[in-house]
Amino acid sequence: MKQTRFSIDGIPVILWGEASGKAYLYVHGQGGNKEEAAAFAQTADERGWQVLSLDLPEHGERREGKEPLVPWQAVPELKRVIRWLRDNGKQRVALRATSIGAWFALLGLADEALERCLLVSPVVDMERVIQTMMGWAGVSEEQLQARQVIPTSFGQNLSWEYLAYVRQHSITRWEAPTHILYAGRDNLTARPVMEDFARRFGCEMMVMENGEHWFHTPEQLAVLEEWTKNRC
């Protein structure tokens, strides 16, 4: 499949597929990169869609970069990238996003006229996720506020600034037609939380009961592939 690599305002991207007036923006999750869009891009290309994937801060070609993976950095970047799509002849734009990448998109793209959205294990309530991780680390709000940043044994830094941002930026509007693939064993977002989000914003939600937040086993990837083909 055709791949065109370039940068948008310093953000490394890949444009997959033949020229088309419609394109998906692909946003990876924690630990991902723009190259992981290959399988999705193949499916989208067969249906006449291009795919634009990017490296979020601290990922892919930006692993050693100065920009941190925080919403006040990532959200404006997604807005710039989707503006590039609009300015370069994509009359129809859709979204495919995973985990924290989906949360960034939900925060930043509510005003965009997206044709459809495919969200895999999306984070929809980041405050609960942070509180869950604080529980894992045995950290109280008072401790976090006092120390501002606390490293954890599972590799995630807890940040008081991040928590304060999350509380000031909740998801209150999302109008795009949206399909969610949720894992029954998701350890970040409880099923009632995801069901409530889907109900509030009219999303179609499919559950893989024995799936995990990260779809990675052959069985999980087969479900992901079938779900994608049916909704792309």
Side-chain angles (χ1 to χ4, degrees):
M1 187 194 325
K2 183 178 179 181
Q3 298 180 31
T4 306
R5 294 172 178 262
F6 57 102
S7 294
I8 299 173
D9 294 340
I11 304 165
V13 302
I14 303 175
L15 184 62
W16 307 76
E18 299 300 323
S20 172
K22 52 186 183 178
Y24 274 90
L25 173 61
Y26 185 101
V27 188
H28 64 76
Q30 185 84 31
N33 55 52
K34 62 186 180 301
E35 284 77 16
E36 76 172 43
F40 176 77
Q42 183 64 52
T43 299
D45 181 65
E46 293 168 358
R47 290 153 176 78
W49 290 76
Q50 287 188 286
V51 172
L52 184 73
S53 59
L54 73 153
D55 284 330
L56 289 170
E58 299 184 31
H59 289 73
E61 294 181 45
R62 305 175 71 186
R63 282 192 300 271
E64 306 302 324
K66 297 179 180 179
E67 298 87 0
L69 184 68
V70 291
W72 51 91
Q73 176 70 37
V75 168
E77 290 186 1
L78 294 186
K79 291 182 177 181
R80 294 202 297 273
V81 170
I82 209 164
R83 182 51 48 198
W84 184 93
L85 286 172
R86 304 284 194 196
D87 291 344
N88 284 270
K90 310 307 177 189
Q91 296 87 17
R92 299 165 63 187
V93 177
L95 173 69
R96 162 64 170 85
T98 301
S99 191
I100 193 173
W103 180 62
F104 293 147
L106 290 167
L107 282 181
L109 305 181
D111 292 330
E112 293 289 337
L114 299 172
E115 182 153 324
R116 72 175 54 203
C117 303
L118 306 181
L119 306 182
V120 179
S121 299
V123 172
V124 297
D125 189 337
M126 182 58 80
E127 183 175 357
R128 285 178 183 255
V129 171
I130 294 172
Q131 290 171 336
T132 296
M133 291 193 294
M134 289 171 64
W136 293 343
V139 172
S140 68
E141 281 201 25
E142 292 75 18
Q143 290 172 320
L144 186 57
Q145 185 174 17
R147 294 175 58 182
Q148 292 295 304
V149 177
I150 298 178
T152 69
S153 60
F154 46 87
Q156 295 291 328
N157 287 341
L158 297 170
S159 162
W160 179 256
E161 182 182 16
Y162 203 123
L163 179 57
Y165 177 96
V166 166
R167 287 174 170 168
Q168 294 167 8
H169 297 80
S170 57
I171 300 166
T172 59
R173 184 168 67 88
W174 187 254
E175 299 176 357
T178 298
H179 303 272
I180 295 171
L181 178 59
Y182 176 76
R185 293 161 56 193
D186 193 315
N187 64 339
L188 289 182
T189 302
R191 186 164 178 165
V193 173
M194 191 66 70
E195 289 174 338
D196 178 67
F197 178 89
R199 186 166 47 250
R200 282 193 292 133
F201 298 109
C203 309
E204 184 255 1
M205 175 176 160
M206 175 179 162
V207 180
M208 181 183 181
E209 294 295 350
N210 61 337
E212 300 166 89
H213 182 79
W214 175 36
F215 281 71
H216 66 287
T217 69
E219 180 188 9
Q220 292 165 3
L221 291 175
V223 170
L224 173 59
E225 180 181 9
E226 187 65 20
W227 177 82
T228 299
K229 288 181 177 178
N230 289 337
R231 288 159 180 81
C232 183

